[in-house]
Amino acid sequence: MKKIFTMLFIIMVLTACGTNASNKDYNTETSKEENNAETTKKDTKSETTKKDTKSETTEHNYQFIGESEHWEAIYSYKATEIWGGNGKQTTHSSKDNYVLTLKYKGSLEELSSMKNLEYSYETTISSGNKREAYPDPPSEKVFKTSGSSVNGAMVGKDEVIKVNVKWDGFEESFELHNKDK
């Protein structure tokens, strides 16, 4: 019995030493990648190892931009994916959030007669819309909507997001594309 415990102890010590060397190499590669990365990262990955489990985390950070004659929009998307497992079973979890910012390109005075605004977006995995009524003239020309999900489908970096804007008898549609493409 002593021999088994001694062997297990030696294996644990040797495994721990090997992990430090691997982490050193991984950390060196990660540092090089971080130094070469732009301010807005597209995808980043990190790995952690625990007893009999291994997980990999991927961060997604995309900005989709586009405009029409009267409007411009930015769809900011951030997501985290975690893949894990213990050799027998693979696990996956994710969480994400987005902010759609819509901006009128003209002056605020041009919107002073606006009574209704409706805007919508559509991706391959989701869609949303927002309606606003203005009994008084709007005080800003920037409009936002946002949302989030857990363990849902995720927006891809090659996504084309369709935006539609209606205001007081006018309507414009346009597409948003990943600004890093």
Side-chain angles (χ1 to χ4, degrees):
M1 194 67 160
K2 283 184 182 179
K3 289 181 182 180
I4 292 174
F5 284 121
T6 305
M7 287 299 289
L8 285 174
F9 177 74
I10 291 172
I11 290 172
M12 287 180 11
V13 169
L14 291 175
T15 302
C17 292
T19 302
N20 286 340
S22 297
N23 284 344
K24 181 178 177 185
D25 291 340
Y26 175 75
N27 289 336
T28 302
E29 287 179 26
T30 303
S31 296
K32 288 177 186 175
E33 289 173 5
E34 288 173 355
N35 289 338
N36 293 333
E38 297 176 21
T39 305
T40 303
K41 293 182 182 177
K42 296 178 207 168
D43 296 322
T44 57
K45 291 185 178 184
S46 62
E47 293 185 25
T48 54
T49 304
K50 294 184 181 178
K51 183 179 178 185
D52 295 330
T53 63
K54 184 176 182 178
S55 68
E56 182 178 306
T57 301
T58 304
E59 300 287 332
H60 304 278
N61 187 2
Y62 308 128
Q63 282 197 334
F64 300 87
I65 59 173
E67 63 183 299
S68 65
E69 182 181 347
H70 293 95
W71 299 92
E72 58 188 36
I74 299 175
Y75 185 94
S76 299
Y77 180 78
K78 294 182 181 185
T80 302
E81 264 185 301
I82 301 172
W83 291 89
N86 59 8
K88 297 178 184 176
Q89 185 176 18
T90 300
T91 61
H92 178 263
S93 64
S94 65
K95 60 181 178 177
D96 67 353
N97 63 64
Y98 74 90
V99 176
L100 174 64
T101 304
L102 183 67
K103 181 180 178 185
Y104 185 70
K105 292 164 77 173
S107 67
L108 186 57
E109 291 77 32
E110 292 175 19
L111 291 179
S112 64
S113 64
M114 184 173 72
K115 299 294 181 198
N116 295 295
L117 173 66
E118 179 181 351
Y119 54 100
S120 61
Y121 73 92
E122 182 180 342
T123 71
T124 56
I125 62 164
S126 67
S127 63
N129 66 356
K130 190 168 185 179
R131 292 181 181 177
E132 298 180 19
Y134 293 94
D136 296 323
S139 59
E140 294 187 29
K141 57 183 196 170
V142 176
F143 309 90
K144 291 185 180 189
T145 187
S146 61
S148 63
S149 69
V150 175
N151 293 329
M154 297 187 351
V155 171
K157 66 182 176 184
D158 297 325
E159 189 85 36
V160 175
I161 301 171
K162 297 174 184 168
V163 174
N164 184 272
V165 185
K166 297 178 184 177
W167 74 108
D168 289 342
F170 299 99
E171 182 173 2
E172 291 181 0
S173 296
F174 54 102
E175 295 180 343
L176 308 180
H177 298 272
N178 189 333
K179 77 172 197 173
D180 290 333
K181 292 208 93 185

